[in-house]
Structures are given as C-alpha cells and as structure tokens.
Amino acid sequence: MAACSNAAAPQADAPAAGAKAESGLPFAVTPVHAFAEPWAMTFLPDGRLLVTEKRGHLQLYDFKTGKAGEITGVPKVAYGGQGGFGDVILHPDFAKNQVVYVSYAEAGDGDDTRGGAVARATLALDAAGGGALQDLKVIWRQVPKVSGQGHYGHRLAFDSAGKLWISSSERQKFDPAQDMASNLGKIVRLNDDGSVPADNPFASQGGVAAQVWSLGHRNVLGIAFDAQGRLWAQEMGPKGGDELNLIERGANYGYPIVSNGDHYDGREIPDHDTRPEFAAPKITWNPVISPAGLMIYSGSQFPDWKGDAFIGGLSSESLVRIEFDGTNAKEAARYDMGQRIREIEQGPDGALYLLEDGEGRDAGRLLKLTPAA
C-alpha cells in the first residue's frame, strides 16, 4: 500500500476549496470524491488513484478531471458480511511491467464456503479514463475454505526485497490460527509470483506451512513496513483486545490461546502475560478502536509526523497516530473523524488520504488531509 515516490502530485499542497479545518484537528479535511463501499486504494505513478469497492468494482480516480473510470476484468467476489473485493497494490517494478495485485473473497466449489484469494494481473489503461485487468492469475488462496463471512484479512504489502506479504485472518474459526496445516490466522510471505521463498521459517514443513512467516493472529486488517524494514501489523482482536504487533520471523502471537481481550460471549481468554512464550503486542486497546488500514508516514507535509504510523478506526470513527521508539510503540493522538475510517494512504504530494467506510452508493468519501492553516 506504499505510495509511489515518483508519482505526480494529484492536487496542490494547500487546502483546496471546501476544505474544513475541524475544531481541534491539526489538519484541514477536503472531501474529494465518493465511492460505494470503498475498501482499499493505491496511487499510480501518474498520480491517479486505484480504489477497490467491496461489491467487486475497481475504480480509477483522476484528480485532474474529478472523475472515476471503471477497471474491468476484476475477479468475481463473494460479497457479504466482511467479504468482497479487498486490497490493491502495485508490483515494485510496476513502471516497467504494469503488474498489480488484488485480494478478494471467493466462493468455494458447490458449497457454502468461502476464502480469501490473491491474484496478479496486468493493468491496461485506456484513453477514456478506465481500463482492464488482463491475464489475471490467482497466486494464493486461504486453506481451507470455510463457512461464514468474516475475518478474511487479505491485506497486501511488498518489502524492499520484492517479497509479497499477505495477512490471512482466521475466518472466525479460532483454532486454525495455531494449526500449521492451515494458512488461516497467519501472516504469509511469498515471492512475487506466488511461489514460496526457500528461507521462510517453516519452509522445511512443506505445504501451506511453508508460506507462513508468523502465526497466532486473529483478524489482521493492516500491514506496513517502517523505514528500517520492520513489519508492523494491526489486529482486530476480540472484545477489548485490539493490537499493534511487531512481526518477527517464526513468532507465535498466541491467538486464541491468549489475548488481552475476551470472547464476545463473555468467556475469558488468558492475557498475554500469562504465557510469555507467545509474542505480546506493542499496543493493546480496551475499549477497542476497531483498526482498519495501516500506513507509516514518510512525507514532508507533516514533518513532525515523519516515521509515525496511522491507523483508521471503524467503531471509534477515528484516525489514530502512533509514535515509535525503536521496537516500542505508543498511541500519540486520536483524531475524531465522525465517520468509520476504512483505509489510509499517503499521497505522492505528502498529504494523507482517507477512505470512509460508507455502505450505500457514493457513501464512502475520499478525504484529503493537509496541514491546518
């Protein structure tokens, strides 16, 4: 989800007409466009923006014209509950190969099961402001497909070495997060073609275990690398147990054996400090924030925030700013946005861009945040 550093700036840095500096907020908020159930976004090198819509649409928004065009060739998605079209990111060599990656929920074969999937395709743009995904190929799937419509995860990121990382949530089935015969409840590391790197921590086990970098996760809806190459992941926990984790090679984060929250039906889960063999979160939230997208800022518009992380809050209707001290982290500020925030991205102009989690037609706005005057 990292923005392209060589992209053209989509808008001038100053707050645009209609920008609103909310009382107490250190930024001006400019509504840019509205989408139908947007889920993720990524900037192209030319400054245009790809936006996924949960029902199975991929939009290309042009900041210069103020219009969005349709990208066809999107795979069929299993829409419902938390399922549908998910993430979109660019291959590290996109400028040369035009390859993009998308994640989505797909239906099982002839039964009431579903699972997350990741595909790669070539993005072919047209002169009319739209385009198509061509030569789409599925390179990864959640195993096994299970019933239910929750906890797919399927967030995507590339590291500096060109490895593809996927968050694979546990589909509300608890135990698979500790089962190495399943890739549910795991963070997965692959080569860009979907093959398994030989140096993965569990590669010798073969099968889906070879894909796994870390395990014991619940519902990971944001992953991002910091400037030092460390992977951070935010995790929607059970009641009172949202987490920010520093992801370590081969580590087990303990779910559902431990959590700093409890089950929604009231059953207690032992806290992390009762089982020190499991990796503990760097931050936990109780009450929860319901974390969505995760981004680590590297721009210049907000120089005091360089290196900070930003998390979109769903139930908390907030933007949460995180400060790091090496491998430690703390919540530094929480900004009341008045709407569920699904996704956050850094634009090529150094502004912050948010997607609201609107469910109706044109209900999910794209917001641009710039420094308050």
Side-chain angles (χ1 to χ4, degrees), residues 35-337:
F35 297 91
E37 292 188 83
W39 207 89
M41 58 180 163
T42 197
F43 283 91
L44 295 179
D46 64 9
R48 288 185 289 180
L49 184 68
L50 291 173
V51 178
T52 64
E53 294 179 330
K54 192 175 162 186
R55 286 183 179 270
H57 299 281
L58 182 59
Q59 304 287 345
L60 176 64
Y61 181 72
D62 189 325
F63 289 85
K64 294 179 180 178
T65 65
K67 297 180 180 180
E70 183 87 5
I71 303 295
T72 62
V74 172
K76 183 178 180 180
V77 307
Y79 173 80
Q82 296 174 13
F85 204 15
D87 214 347
V88 56
I89 63 170
L90 309 183
H91 189 281
D93 291 326
F94 174 83
K96 296 179 180 179
N97 61 24
Q98 308 298 298
V99 171
V100 300
Y101 294 75
V102 295
S103 68
Y104 57 100
E106 66 173 2
D109 295 329
D111 55 17
D112 188 30
T113 61
R114 302 160 193 84
V118 174
R120 58 176 276 165
T122 301
L123 177 64
L125 301 177
D126 60 36
L133 297 182
Q134 298 178 346
D135 303 319
L136 186 136
K137 178 182 179 182
V138 177
I139 61 169
W140 179 84
R141 287 184 165 97
Q142 286 184 322
V143 177
K145 286 185 168 64
V146 297
S147 61
Q149 297 179 313
H151 293 191
Y152 295 92
H154 56 41
R155 281 289 186 181
L156 309 175
F158 273 101
D159 64 18
S160 60
K163 302 301 184 187
L164 174 64
W165 297 73
I166 306 168
S167 73
S168 178
S169 300
E170 45 72 75
R171 298 285 282 111
Q172 297 177 313
K173 302 302 182 186
F174 309 105
D175 295 339
Q178 294 293 327
D179 182 1
M180 294 300 287
S182 165
N183 58 18
L184 304 181
K186 315 297 194 302
I187 289 179
V188 167
R189 175 179 181 258
L190 302 175
N191 296 316
D192 66 346
D193 62 357
S195 61
V196 175
D199 61 345
N200 272 5
F202 305 103
S204 63
Q205 295 186 25
V208 295
Q211 306 171 358
V212 174
W213 186 264
S214 63
L215 63 150
H217 299 286
R218 185 176 184 266
N219 190 18
V220 180
L221 290 174
I223 54 176
F225 288 92
D226 65 19
Q228 291 72 40
R230 293 178 292 236
L231 179 62
W232 296 86
Q234 51 84 341
E235 186 164 328
M236 190 177 289
K239 187 177 181 181
D242 290 347
E243 301 178 358
L244 179 69
N245 287 298
L246 175 60
I247 303 303
E248 303 281 4
R249 173 188 173 86
N252 187 335
Y253 291 79
Y255 191 78
I257 300 169
V258 292
S259 170
N260 288 359
D262 293 316
H263 293 295
Y264 285 101
D265 61 9
R267 288 177 297 140
E268 293 185 356
I269 305 173
D271 287 348
H272 272 87
D273 60 13
T274 67
R275 298 289 296 270
E277 69 269 32
F278 295 122
K282 299 299 183 178
I283 303 176
T284 59
W285 284 275
N286 187 4
V288 298
I289 60 172
S290 302
L294 173 67
M295 181 272 296
I296 296 177
Y297 186 72
S298 62
S300 58
Q301 285 215 36
F302 298 96
D304 291 344
W305 294 349
K306 194 166 185 177
D308 290 358
F310 289 85
I311 297 174
L314 294 171
S315 66
S316 59
E317 296 187 346
S318 65
L319 177 64
V320 178
R321 182 167 65 86
I322 305 297
E323 290 181 348
F324 297 108
D325 180 9
T327 59
N328 294 315
K330 67 177 182 178
E331 178 178 334
R334 189 180 304 189
Y335 309 113
D336 182 6
M337 302 305 300

Side-chain angles (χ1 to χ4, degrees), residues 336-358:
D336 182 6
M337 302 305 300
Q339 298 288 338
R340 291 164 57 89
I341 303 302
R342 168 60 65 181
E343 167 76 310
I344 177 165
E345 233 358 304
Q346 177 183 316
D349 55 358
L352 299 178
Y353 290 82
L354 311 184
L355 285 174
E356 295 176 340
D357 192 45

